């Protein structure tokens, strides 16, 4: 009887041990899947199915839709300021091709930064971080858009614009993104990426990119007749590039200062983290540099008349004063002012450039031109 009781106890004890081990395994699995037997834990919810509307939303998030829209608009500014004609198919193809290139670059950027994005409140809700889409699926989307964008630009626009689009994908995903984790120079690399889209708009209209035997750099000096033969000027794409390149420093440096805590937590060696005073100084330098770019480089390249030198001074001075205060105080309040000014500065300056576009008589477009008065003929 005692032996039998011992055998029963051993069996029961083994069952309890087995149950304990099973509970341990369940606990491990619970930890992995985020499920717990605790009554205070949230209930399990299966992931939502990738329906077409939800998938389109995820694609828009991977593409950084608002950033891609800005990229397309800056490319269209190059088309709008070009003195060369552009057909509707070329205009639409440039916009769509640029959008596809931007979508690819932004998706490849997020694929490389999943662990770092998970550490920043500003980015931890991105699709790849919250596992709304698999990395393989996102990679396929990046490859599809990265091939379709340059292919469309090459077939419908021209090879030069397609090459610029492909180069921008490579620079953003292959140079800027890895450099963000290693060097403060990533900000300058990112500024190069941001300066290329308006140049794509210029080349989409057939404008030359570099001087050659037929196209020399021509200076459109004030109070001199405009040489229409030199309107396709290699200085023009350089002016477009420099404008977007310099604008990004007050815009990004002020923003990075406001979120410097997140960058520090994720381990990004941003200038706003390593040296906030230098970060503000760089912002001020480029706010100052925008004055000769808009007041001299644009008119002298033939993109605009010299009236832009006068009308661009008020917005430039407003931004310079804000950048100077940011540099002097280093406060988040002044950084926020610089960032807010950068948001309206870009569309305002582009509107002024269009208003003073070389060779465009807006009064005639609006029907407000002076009508030729009939001359009186005296009859003897």
């Amino acid at each position: 009887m005692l032996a039998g009781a011992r055998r029963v106890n051993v069996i029961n004890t083994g069952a309890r041990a087995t149950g304990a081990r099973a509970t341990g395994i369940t606990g491990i699995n619970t930890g992995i899947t985020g499920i717990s037997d605790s009554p205070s834990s949230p209930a399990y919810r299966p992931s939502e199915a990738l329906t077409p509307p939800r998938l389109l939303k995820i694609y828009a998030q991977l593409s950084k839709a608002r950033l891609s829209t800005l990229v397309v608009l800056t490319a269209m500014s190059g088309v709008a300021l070009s003195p060369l004609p552009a057909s509707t198919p070329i205009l639409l193809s440039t916009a769509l091709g640029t959008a596809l290139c931007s979508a690819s670059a932004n998706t490849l950027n997020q694929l490389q930064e999943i662990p770092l994005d998970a550490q920043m409140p500003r980015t931890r809700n991105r699709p790849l971080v919250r596992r709304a889409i698999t990395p393989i699926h996102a990679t396929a989307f990046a490859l599809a858009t990265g091939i379709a964008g340059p292919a469309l630009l090459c077939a419908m626009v021209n090879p030069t614009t397609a090459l610029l689009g492909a180069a921008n994908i490579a620079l953003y995903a292959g140079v800027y993104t890895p450099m963000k984790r290693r060097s403060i120079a990533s900000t300058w690399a990112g500024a190069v990426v941001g300066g290329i889209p308006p140049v794509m708009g210029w080349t989409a209209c057939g404008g030359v990119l570099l001087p050659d035997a037929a196209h020399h750099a021509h200076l459109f000096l004030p109070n001199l007749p405009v040489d229409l033969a030199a309107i396709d000027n290699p200085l023009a794409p350089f002016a477009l590039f420099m404008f977007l390149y310099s604008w990004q420093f007050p815009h990004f440096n002020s923003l990075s200062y406001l979120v410097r805590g997140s960058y520090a937590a994720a381990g990004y060696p941003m200038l706003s983290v390593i040296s906030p005073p230098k970060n503000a100084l760089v912002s001020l330098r480029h706010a100052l540099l925008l004055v000769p770019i808009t007041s001299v480089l644009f008119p002298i390249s033939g993109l605009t008349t010299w009236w832009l030198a006068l009308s661009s001074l008020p917005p430039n001075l407003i931004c310079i004063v804000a950048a100077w205060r940011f540099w002097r105080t280093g406060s988040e309040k002044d950084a926020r002012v610089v960032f807010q000014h950068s948001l309206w500065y870009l569309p305002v300056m582009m509107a002024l450039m269009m208003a003073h576009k070389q060779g465009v008589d807006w009064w005639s477009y609006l029907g407000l031109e002076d009508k030729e008065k009939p001359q009186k003929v005296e009859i003897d």
Side-chain angles (χ1 to χ4, degrees):
M1 291 294 293
L2 292 175
R6 283 197 297 269
R7 283 197 298 271
V8 172
N9 288 336
V10 170
I11 293 171
N12 292 335
T13 303
R16 285 194 297 270
T18 304
R21 287 194 295 270
T23 303
I25 294 171
T26 304
I28 294 172
N29 290 335
T30 298
I32 293 173
T33 59
I35 306 169
S36 174
D37 294 331
S38 172
S40 62
S41 64
Y44 169 75
R45 289 191 308 171
S47 59
E48 298 179 20
L50 285 179
T51 59
R54 187 165 180 268
L55 189 58
L56 288 175
K57 183 179 179 180
I58 290 174
Y59 285 160
Q61 292 171 339
L62 288 174
S63 305
K64 299 180 184 177
R66 286 187 295 181
L67 178 59
S68 292
T69 300
L70 177 62
V71 170
V72 172
L73 289 176
T74 57
M76 292 300 98
S77 71
V79 175
L81 287 171
S82 173
L84 303 174
S87 64
T88 301
I90 287 180
L91 182 66
L92 295 177
S93 299
T94 303
L96 180 57
T98 303
L100 290 170
C101 291
S102 180
S104 176
N106 287 320
T107 303
L108 291 171
N109 167 268
Q110 291 184 58
L111 280 164
Q112 298 177 65
E113 296 186 339
I114 297 174
L116 301 172
D117 283 345
Q119 302 177 54
M120 299 172 62
R122 189 170 62 92
T123 56
R124 64 177 50 152
N125 199 39
R126 286 178 173 174
L128 287 164
V129 176
R130 68 177 192 269
R131 299 183 180 180
I133 191 172
T134 65
I136 294 177
H137 191 158
T139 302
F141 174 72
L143 291 175
T145 52
I147 293 172
L152 177 64
L153 292 173
C154 186
M156 297 297 294
V157 185
N158 55 57
T160 302
T161 308
L163 183 61
L164 289 172
N168 230 18
I169 296 173
L171 283 173
Y172 191 76
V175 177
Y176 166 72
T177 299
M179 192 181 290
K180 282 174 66 177
R181 302 188 293 271
R182 296 179 176 87
S183 172
I184 60 172
S186 63
T187 304
W188 282 261
V192 172
V193 173
I196 290 177
V199 180
M200 293 173 63
W202 172 266
T203 59
C205 297
V208 296
L209 193 59
L210 298 171
D212 55 28
H215 302 89
H216 300 284
H218 183 79
L219 302 181
F220 290 80
L221 300 175
N223 299 323
L224 290 179
V226 176
D227 185 5
L228 295 178
I231 204 72
D232 187 7
N233 192 358
L235 276 179
F238 176 69
L240 291 168
F241 172 84
M242 285 302 302
F243 175 67
L244 264 296
Y245 175 83
S246 287
W247 169 82
Q248 288 174 90
F249 288 94
H251 175 75
F252 178 76
N253 284 26
S254 57
L255 174 62
S256 66
Y257 184 77
L258 294 173
V259 297
R260 64 192 184 279
S262 295
Y263 281 128
Y268 285 113
M270 293 295 176
L271 190 59
S272 59
V273 175
I274 296 175
S275 179
K278 288 184 179 179
N279 177 71
L281 180 60
V282 171
S283 179
L284 175 60
R285 285 174 181 170
H286 283 273
L288 291 168
L289 185 58
L290 283 167
V291 175
I293 290 173
T294 55
S295 297
V296 179
L297 187 55
F298 266 79
I300 209 168
S301 68
L303 281 171
T304 67
T305 66
W306 281 91
W307 283 108
L308 181 66
L310 182 63
S311 63
S312 64
L313 285 178
N316 276 326
L317 289 176
I318 292 172
C319 292
I320 287 172
V321 170
W324 178 79
R325 287 176 177 168
F326 175 40
W327 173 62
R328 285 295 300 271
T329 65
S331 68
E332 290 191 0
K333 177 182 176 182
D334 288 321
R336 189 171 288 106
V337 171
V338 173
F339 178 72
Q340 291 170 346
H341 283 339
S342 71
L343 296 178
W344 62 256
Y345 176 86
L346 190 62
V348 166
M349 288 304 303
M350 287 182 174
L352 289 175
M353 291 171 188
M354 283 302 301
H356 300 299
K357 181 180 176 180
Q358 187 71 264
V360 176
D361 184 5
W362 291 109
W363 296 112
S364 63
Y365 276 105
L366 297 174
L368 300 175
E369 75 278 8
D370 293 335
K371 294 183 179 179
E372 186 177 344
K373 297 180 180 180
Q375 296 180 354
K376 294 182 179 180
V377 179
E378 296 182 0
I379 301 176
D380 295 334

